[in-house]
């Protein structure tokens, strides 16, 4: 599976990047149940990988982030989803400023 970066490059899918981003969102809200967070992060990353492979498509970064948001919103931890969304918006503003 491959991913299309914002600059147009096609790179191999890296499930760990999704897991790291989700874990950072959990940590940012002070979550100490990292086993739960790790499991949910892996589930979301696996879903995204399976989704792209099943449809035989190359996902763009924005699409992956949208799927992460949906996955986080499906959890009971809306605070984690909010933290992820706010961080994503902040990064987008920074990119647009540059």
């Amino acid at each position: 599976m491959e991913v299309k970066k914002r600059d147009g490059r096609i790179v191999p899918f890296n499930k760990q990047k999704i897991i790291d981003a989700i874990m950072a969102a959990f940590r940012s809200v002070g979550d100490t149940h990292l086993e739960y967070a790790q499991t949910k992060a892996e589930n979301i990353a696996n879903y995204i990988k399976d989704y792209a492979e099943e449809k035989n498509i190359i996902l763009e970064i924005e699409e992956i982030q949208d799927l992460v948001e949906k996955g986080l919103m499906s959890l009971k931890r809306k605070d984690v989803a909010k933290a992820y969304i706010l961080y994503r918006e902040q990064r987008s503003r920074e990119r647009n400023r540059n």
Side-chain angles (χ1 to χ4, degrees):
M1 176 181 163
E2 295 176 317
V3 172
K4 185 175 183 180
K5 306 271 288 182
R6 286 185 180 86
D7 64 6
R9 287 181 296 135
I10 305 296
V11 299
F13 176 77
N14 184 345
K15 180 171 96 168
Q16 192 60 47
K17 286 186 177 187
I18 295 170
I19 293 169
D20 291 346
I22 294 170
M23 294 299 291
F26 271 93
R27 283 191 296 277
S28 76
V29 297
D31 196 300
T32 58
H33 299 96
L34 296 182
E35 228 175 89
Y36 170 83
Q38 182 73 31
T39 299
K40 296 305 176 184
E42 288 179 15
N43 289 347
I44 292 169
N46 287 333
Y47 169 80
I48 292 168
K49 183 176 187 294
D50 292 346
Y51 172 82
E53 287 176 348
E54 180 180 303
K55 300 221 179 251
N56 197 29
I57 57 175
I58 295 176
L59 291 175
E60 294 185 16
I61 296 299
E62 289 293 323
E63 293 172 301
I64 291 171
Q65 290 178 331
D66 290 346
L67 291 168
V68 170
E69 275 186 28
K70 288 177 186 175
L72 288 173
M73 289 301 292
S74 72
L75 304 177
K76 293 180 182 178
R77 297 294 309 275
K78 304 302 184 221
D79 58 331
V80 175
K82 183 177 179 180
Y84 179 84
I85 291 166
L86 291 175
Y87 177 77
R88 183 178 174 195
E89 287 176 6
Q90 175 189 355
R91 294 288 298 142
S92 180
R93 282 192 303 272
E94 289 173 11
R95 273 191 304 278
N96 290 336
R97 215 179 347 227
N98 296 334

